[in-house]
Amino acid sequence: MRILLSVLCLTAMASSVTADWRQFRGNDTTGSSASCELPDKWSADGENVAWKVELPGRGPSSPILVDGKVIVTTADGADLEQLHVLCFSAADGKRLWQRNFWATGRTFCHPQTTPAAPSPVSDGKYVYAFFGSSDLVCLDLDGNLKWYRGLGHEHPKAGNDVGMASSPIVLDDTVVVQIENQGDSFAAGINAENGQTRWFLPRSERANWASPIALKSVNSGDQSVALLQSGSGVTAVSSQSGDILWELGGGASTISTSLTNGEQAFIVSKGLTVLDLKDPRVKPEIAWEANKLNPSSMSPILHDGKIYTINGTGVLNCGDAETGDLDWGLRLKGKFWATPVIAGEKLIAINYDGLAMIVDISGEKGQILEEIEMGEKIQASPALGNDAMYVKGERHLWKIANTQ
């Protein structure tokens, strides 16, 4: 019965927002869309490029898709102190609005990144854009400012030596952020309606770039649970109060972010550690551990009962989500920062140099079908929606779709 209720709940959620991709790895955070049909190949400037626009500034943050609008963040300026939130029409790429802000916190970054590293998130009504300077902006879908929090100004020691990257989540009208570093280190729940702090939780003063995830409630009316990840392990907290519900030590990745399908939580720890989520409010049992499914810096994705990771040597691994058994591995080309996505039976992995590889995952082993040079560095995970893929590079944003 628990499984049936969760499946029905997830199905209802997916169908109500089927065209949206409201956060990093999509609405259900699996990084896949079974119904999305992409062209078999494309080119960076012509074939099956519905539109391509130039971006002001840069940043590794991923695009999101909300109500026919593609929203991205970038940063530029001498000290990367200028923060941008941009909105484009998904239909034709027309820029609908752009909002600019001055960073109030630290903007120092490694040259490879910028303060526009955390991906924005939306609840369908508002966009919450978070930056590595710890500035949190709430805008409506027309770009009107609802509220602004300079968490970096409030906590001036927040920041590390290479830049912050943890992306926020929003659940039950609370925006959850993790700001963990060698200085002011904390997690916080921000009231999505007015920007006020609901709760504040001091965290270990260690650098951490992993993002929180939402553990879905089993029953209607249950409090939602946010799972905070760090080098120490994971901590489940109430999204409304910040009260700690349970903790699991043993360490976890400080870069790659875990995921959940409602029944299981795939924790990036000891490779992958999978928890059986009978009730997100109660400490779960470990179902399996699989060191061979270590996702390195990319985050895992889930599709049709299979878990996919890319390890530090560029090998794409496919494992059974129920058992952790490794089904197959496929060596890709280059170094990766962008988490791949799956559209239908195609996995799209784009390496740091901008080489996109389309992998057929329909058979017993993965097979590379096409390799496409995008022509610039790419660190952002793409967004999927309405038989299209939105790819954000260092200088451009593409819509890839069948234009025939």
Side-chain angles (χ1 to χ4, degrees):
M1 179 59 74
R2 178 170 63 90
I3 294 175
L4 176 61
L5 289 173
S6 294
V7 170
L8 290 174
C9 179
L10 291 171
T11 302
M13 291 172 61
S15 61
S16 64
V17 291
T18 184
D20 284 358
W21 189 272
R22 294 180 178 174
Q23 60 185 325
F24 169 66
R25 290 187 303 199
N27 294 355
D28 61 4
T29 72
T30 63
S32 70
S33 173
S35 61
C36 185
E37 295 187 10
L38 296 181
D40 293 332
K41 59 181 179 179
W42 63 86
S43 65
D45 293 302
E47 185 180 13
N48 290 321
V49 174
W51 51 258
K52 176 184 178 182
V53 296
E54 189 172 0
L55 296 174
R58 60 187 179 87
S61 58
S62 296
I64 61 172
L65 178 65
V66 190
D67 194 24
K69 299 176 178 178
V70 186
I71 296 165
V72 299
T73 60
T74 64
D76 67 2
D79 295 318
L80 298 170
E81 75 282 10
Q82 297 176 39
L83 313 177
H84 309 299
V85 185
L86 302 108
C87 177
F88 300 91
S89 165
D92 58 14
K94 178 183 178 182
R95 186 181 299 187
L96 301 177
W97 50 262
Q98 175 179 342
R99 299 294 178 262
N100 307 314
F101 304 92
W102 291 99
T104 68
R106 290 164 52 101
T107 59
F108 184 81
C109 289
H110 186 279
Q112 191 169 306
T113 186
T114 79
S119 299
V121 63
S122 175
D123 55 10
K125 297 184 298 182
Y126 299 101
V127 175
Y128 307 92
F130 188 53
F131 293 88
S133 55
S134 299
D135 291 285
L136 178 61
V137 181
C138 177
L139 301 162
D140 68 20
L141 297 183
D142 293 321
N144 299 305
L145 180 66
K146 186 171 177 63
W147 51 260
Y148 188 107
R149 282 292 298 272
L151 294 170
H153 177 72
E154 298 170 22
H155 303 275
K157 294 182 181 178
N160 60 37
D161 296 335
V162 296
M164 308 285 281
S166 177
S167 299
I169 58 172
V170 57
L171 69 166
D172 284 354
D173 298 324
T174 302
V175 183
V176 178
V177 296
Q178 274 187 262
I179 299 173
E180 299 184 12
N181 52 89
Q182 296 89 339
D184 291 336
S185 195
F186 59 92
I190 307 298
N191 188 321
E193 177 63 26
N194 56 28
Q196 299 298 307
T197 301
R198 287 192 194 276
W199 52 268
F200 181 89
L201 182 65
R203 299 279 286 170
S204 175
E205 294 181 355
R206 297 167 59 187
N208 182 26
W209 298 268
S211 303
I213 63 171
L215 302 184
K216 298 176 178 66
S217 301
V218 174
N219 300 306
S220 176
D222 288 350
Q223 62 179 324
S224 294
V225 177
L227 194 68
L228 311 177
Q229 178 181 321
S230 73
S232 300
V234 292
T235 302
V237 302
S238 163
S239 65
Q240 288 292 303
S241 67
D243 292 342
I244 295 177
L245 303 174
W246 53 268
E247 292 183 283
L248 183 68
S253 173
T254 57
I255 300 177
S256 177
T257 295
S258 303
L259 69 77
T260 178
N261 61 359
E263 295 297 319
Q264 301 165 297
F266 298 80
I267 307 301
V268 187
S269 173
K270 302 173 185 175
L272 275 185
T273 296
V274 173
L275 308 180
D276 181 16
L277 292 175
K278 291 183 172 61
D279 184 339
R281 300 167 299 176
V282 179
K283 187 174 182 177
E285 299 291 332
I286 293 176
W288 53 260
E289 296 175 344
N291 186 54
K292 291 183 177 179
L293 292 174
N294 185 352
S296 187
S297 299
M298 290 65 64
S299 296
I301 58 175
L302 184 68
H303 175 75
D304 195 22
K306 304 293 183 183
I307 188 82
Y308 297 85
T309 61
I310 299 177
N311 68 20
T313 62
V315 174
L316 170 66
N317 285 314
C318 170
D320 188 307
E322 286 297 324
T323 64
D325 293 338
L326 182 64
D327 287 351
W328 52 261
L330 176 68
R331 183 167 294 281
L332 304 177
K333 296 180 179 179
K335 296 181 179 179
F336 290 82
W337 283 102
T339 294
V341 293
I342 295 175
E345 297 297 332
K346 298 172 184 171
L347 183 147
I348 298 92
I350 308 178
N351 70 20
Y352 178 57
D353 290 326
L355 178 67
M357 284 156 273
I358 303 176
V359 180
D360 179 6
I361 57 172
S362 64
E364 294 183 355
K365 294 186 177 181
Q367 179 182 5
I368 297 176
L369 299 176
E370 286 288 340
E371 297 180 4
I372 300 151
E373 291 283 358
M374 300 301 290
E376 61 188 72
K377 305 289 187 188
I378 292 179
Q379 294 175 272
S381 180
L384 301 174
N386 290 332
D387 294 337
M389 179 173 68
Y390 302 88
V391 179
K392 178 170 173 267
E394 194 170 49
R395 301 186 306 276
H396 297 92
L397 176 69
W398 287 265
K399 178 181 180 179
I400 306 298
N402 195 332
T403 58
Q404 303 302 314

